[in-house]
Amino acid sequence: MSVVITQIFNGFSLGSILLFVAIGLAVTFGLMGVINMAHGELIMVGAYMTYVVQQIFSKYAPQALEYYFFAAIPAAFFVSALLGWGLEQLLIRHLYHRPLDSLLATWGVSLILQQIVRIIFGAPNVAVLPPGWLDGGIRVAGVVFPYKRLFILAFVILSIFALYVYLTKTPVGRRIRAVTLNRDMASCLGISTRKVDAYAFAIGSGFAGLAGCALTLLGPIGPTIGTYYIVDAFMVVILGGIGKLIGTVLGAFGIGLVSTLMEYSTSATIAKVIMFALIIAFLQWKPSGLVSMKTRSLD
């Protein structure tokens, strides 16, 4: 029984990480249809901002080092959001409706960002020490639930709730939803789709930064940390259904649970292959994903 509980918890833990990595991409890819290959590097920026904040606290405020993570969270979000906003203003907005060009351009940006990080911080991985209050875990029925994993799970739930409130209760969020449902009609009603695109790209980039911040709790970070997650992020978004937040949530936790259960009976490599095969088969049956978007468009 404890083995089953452990595997289920590992599945939810992996799902929470995949969700954090994919949520920002769900906003940008779902709204604008831009294949942002630099999304992984925005995750990297958030991770390194956490490292920078930790270094600042250790040098100037060592007595408050245990609480540096609470300062690192907004720092990672706003720096990544600002970088994403600048990327949209300078590059992405000139490549709308040109998917191949946007893919190549953002891939080039990802390589540039990786080299900048190597120049500033060096090529080797750097260790971000988690706060002491996240050491250890809770033991229930013979199963240990690590505090770090529980914190990431709570962190992603809170972030999803904040994004839901933002998209449904604020004027800017409603404009983003309107443009996602029907861009042409929203433009006819006076909504500036260019501004909405910039806001959405900045928000998606900010959530990528939060994902990088959370990943620092799992181990060392390096210039290629985002590369490990970019394929999984696209996989979650496409499986869940483009433009639907609930679909991204279901896709992330579904992949997490199935992957961990298959890894228990096989190996990580074979489980990955089987997972890809299942997703491909599912999308052949239902190309719109788990949750399809209903619009008034007559396309």
Side-chain angles (χ1 to χ4, degrees), residues 32-246:
M32 295 173 284
V34 174
I35 304 175
N36 180 19
M37 296 301 293
H39 183 77
E41 279 55 50
L42 293 169
I43 295 173
M44 175 197 68
V45 169
Y48 272 96
M49 277 306 303
T50 306
Y51 173 73
V52 169
V53 171
Q54 183 203 49
Q55 295 301 307
I56 292 173
F57 268 72
S58 63
K59 185 174 182 179
Y60 297 105
Q63 68 280 3
L65 186 59
E66 287 291 303
Y67 307 101
Y68 82 89
F69 204 79
F70 294 108
I73 290 173
F77 179 86
F78 286 112
V79 171
S80 298
L82 183 62
L83 182 60
W85 179 82
L87 180 62
E88 197 280 336
Q89 292 288 305
L90 297 175
L91 181 65
I92 300 297
R93 69 164 43 195
H94 304 292
L95 299 175
Y96 290 134
H97 309 299
R98 295 161 60 184
L100 183 59
D101 292 341
S102 65
L103 186 151
L104 293 174
T106 53
W107 181 61
V109 169
S110 71
L111 296 179
I112 292 171
L113 291 175
Q114 286 185 23
Q115 292 304 317
I116 291 174
V117 166
R118 287 190 177 97
I119 292 171
I120 297 174
F121 298 98
N125 290 356
V126 297
V128 181
L129 298 177
W133 46 272
L134 286 178
D135 293 335
I138 302 175
R139 180 178 291 273
V140 179
V143 180
V144 177
F145 300 96
Y147 287 136
K148 294 175 185 177
R149 298 281 182 167
L150 292 173
F151 179 80
I152 293 175
L153 187 59
F155 190 14
V156 72
I157 291 173
L158 185 61
S159 299
I160 289 289
F161 177 74
L163 180 60
Y164 173 79
V165 171
Y166 180 80
L167 291 176
T168 57
K169 304 298 182 181
T170 66
V172 177
R174 293 191 186 100
R175 293 190 191 103
I176 292 175
R177 292 175 61 206
V179 173
T180 303
L181 290 171
N182 195 319
R183 177 177 292 268
D184 293 334
M185 181 58 70
S187 180
C188 290
L189 293 174
I191 296 176
S192 175
T193 56
R194 285 295 178 91
K195 287 184 178 180
V196 169
D197 289 338
Y199 292 149
F201 206 90
I203 292 169
S205 301
F207 273 94
L210 291 181
C213 185
L215 290 175
T216 61
L217 298 175
L218 302 179
I221 60 172
T224 59
I225 184 174
T227 307
Y228 301 138
Y229 294 98
I230 186 66
V231 174
D232 290 334
F234 275 105
M235 183 170 63
V236 169
V237 173
I238 294 173
L239 175 64
I242 297 174
K244 296 296 289 184
L245 189 60
I246 184 62

